[in-house]
Amino acid sequence: MKVNEIEKLLARYYDGETSEAEDRELKQFFTEEDVPAHLLAEKEIFMQLNATAHSSDSGIAAIATRTEGSEAPPIPEGLESKLSGMIDEWDTRERRVLKVKKHTRTLRLQWIGSIAASLLILFSVGMYLYKPYTPPTPQDTCATPEEAYAQAQKALIMLSTGLNKGVKTVETVQETTTKIQENVNEQLNRINNIKQ
């Protein structure tokens, strides 16, 4: 068989696409013929596979001959309880994993809910604060123009009275300030006269 055909068969063998006849051809090539240097590694693999296959075939045959004439092998003591314990342990682990996943999912949903609530609050506050300012519209408090004139006159009289009181107070303060200034000037003149 040519080396090119063997290399193609090897590629198909490693891809799991060869038939049993092609597998036998490969084993025969690697066990009986001279192998090129670049295929020595494959030869070693096939030799080991061939040795393993012979030992496992003989082991299977020995087991088959032992079990054909005799009854089923005895079940070791405690096997059922060990298997039951292992199944319970696996079940417990699986439940823990599911519980952790459920807890994680719950935490994620809580985070998403809290973020959504925060955004809703911010939006509500922003809308409340953004309300455009509308100045109050003046309203008429008087029914007739004569009533409005009387109200205006009353307000002006109150303003005039307040201004007059303020002017009198300012005049009083001015008179007092003038008197104090005159006293201070007299005292300064006396002091200057004493010094000279």
Side-chain angles (χ1 to χ4, degrees):
M1 189 176 260
K2 292 182 181 177
V3 175
N4 290 341
E5 291 176 15
I6 292 296
E7 288 175 349
K8 289 179 185 175
L9 269 177
L10 273 174
R12 290 183 54 221
Y13 177 80
Y14 287 135
D15 289 337
E17 299 172 351
T18 56
S19 65
E20 288 184 29
E22 290 171 330
D23 290 348
R24 280 192 297 265
E25 283 181 44
L26 283 172
K27 287 179 185 176
Q28 183 180 3
F29 174 78
F30 284 115
T31 56
E32 297 175 359
E33 298 187 25
D34 287 333
V35 178
H38 71 282
L39 293 176
L40 286 176
E42 276 77 11
K43 178 180 180 175
E44 189 175 324
I45 291 171
F46 272 91
M47 296 300 282
Q48 288 179 357
L49 285 174
N50 196 19
T52 309
H54 287 305
S55 65
S56 66
D57 287 343
S58 62
I60 291 172
I63 291 172
T65 56
R66 269 189 258 152
T67 56
E68 282 177 7
S70 64
E71 44 185 80
I75 298 174
E77 286 185 38
L79 179 65
E80 189 175 334
S81 64
K82 285 181 185 178
L83 288 175
S84 177
M86 289 178 70
I87 290 171
D88 290 344
E89 184 179 331
W90 293 336
D91 185 47
T92 305
R93 284 183 191 167
E94 187 176 343
R95 286 183 184 176
R96 278 191 211 136
V97 168
L98 290 175
K99 187 176 181 181
V100 167
K101 285 182 181 179
K102 184 178 179 183
H103 181 69
T104 304
R105 191 177 319 125
T106 304
L107 286 177
R108 282 185 188 150
L109 289 175
Q110 285 177 347
W111 272 98
I112 291 170
S114 63
I115 290 171
S118 300
L119 291 175
L120 182 64
I121 289 171
L122 287 173
F123 179 75
S124 300
V125 169
M127 290 303 292
Y128 176 76
L129 294 176
Y130 180 70
K131 284 193 301 186
Y133 175 72
T134 53
T137 54
Q139 297 177 355
D140 287 336
T141 56
C142 300
T144 62
E146 291 81 22
E147 188 179 336
Y149 177 74
Q151 290 289 333
Q153 194 173 19
K154 185 177 175 182
L156 288 174
I157 289 174
M158 286 174 58
L159 178 68
S160 173
T161 308
L163 280 175
N164 287 338
K165 284 182 184 177
V167 168
K168 284 182 185 176
T169 306
V170 168
E171 286 176 356
T172 307
V173 168
Q174 247 181 349
E175 287 175 8
T176 309
T177 307
T178 307
K179 287 180 184 177
I180 292 173
Q181 186 66 33
E182 287 174 1
N183 270 340
V184 168
N185 284 340
E186 278 181 28
Q187 294 299 325
L188 285 175
N189 284 335
R190 283 186 190 169
I191 293 173
N192 283 339
N193 286 338
I194 294 175
K195 284 184 182 178
Q196 292 178 355

